[in-house]
Amino acid sequence: MKFVSIIIGSKSDYEVMKECAETFKKFGVPYELIISSAHRSPERTKHYIKEAEEKGAQAFIAAAGMAAHLAGAVAAATTKPVIGVPMASGELRGEDALLSTVMMPAGMPVGTVAIGKAGAVNAAYMAIQILALSDDELRVKLQEDRVSKAKKVELDSKEIEVIL
């Protein structure tokens, strides 16, 4: 079975990353979600990635704050696409996590999205776009979602617009 794996560095990341899971539910995309840390449980992380690949994981989403090495640790253990979600935490409110996630060495890419909730949702959308490359039904759902978003903008505007 094809699915996307969501790995969060700590339980405190769940409140934001549940938005990622909700986006997958909206599109009917199977996912797994676990807590595993690049620093506190590196062997668990490596073991899980191997196991997830064997079960059919097509992409990995890794969310972590502060030093945020989780996405890099995942990228080091797989050739599947990895999307990093920097989490807002600590004194720098996620800017440190953003830099840690985005600054990967050449040849070890991590697609990096925005800090926090917008990043969690966009990580799901990016993974869905990857899956839609070989899934026409999912591609159609994405296209319908775009049309729906455009219609919502028009409806919202009609509620408040003033045009001379």
Side-chain angles (χ1 to χ4, degrees), residues 43-155:
E43 292 305 314
R44 171 182 165 80
T45 302
K46 284 171 45 177
H47 177 76
Y48 171 74
I49 293 163
K50 183 178 182 203
E51 196 175 83
E53 284 184 323
E54 290 170 359
K55 291 190 301 185
Q58 300 297 296
F60 291 87
I61 295 173
M66 300 179 81
H69 291 140
L70 184 57
V74 174
T78 186
T79 57
K80 303 283 185 181
V82 177
I83 304 162
V85 182
M87 301 303 293
S89 61
E91 296 295 319
L92 299 177
R93 294 167 293 174
E95 289 181 27
D96 49 350
L98 175 63
L99 292 173
S100 294
T101 305
V102 78
M103 294 302 298
M104 293 297 296
M108 297 302 290
V110 169
T112 307
V113 294
I115 298 168
K117 181 179 173 182
V121 172
N122 282 341
Y125 270 92
M126 188 175 288
I128 293 166
Q129 289 173 328
I130 291 167
L131 295 176
L133 291 170
S134 61
D135 184 330
D136 288 338
E137 185 179 322
L138 199 51
R139 183 182 48 76
V140 168
K141 286 181 181 179
L142 277 169
Q143 290 169 335
E144 290 170 349
D145 182 67
R146 289 281 175 99
V147 169
S148 174
K149 284 178 173 28
K151 285 181 181 174
K152 182 173 180 345
V153 169
E154 289 179 33
L155 291 172

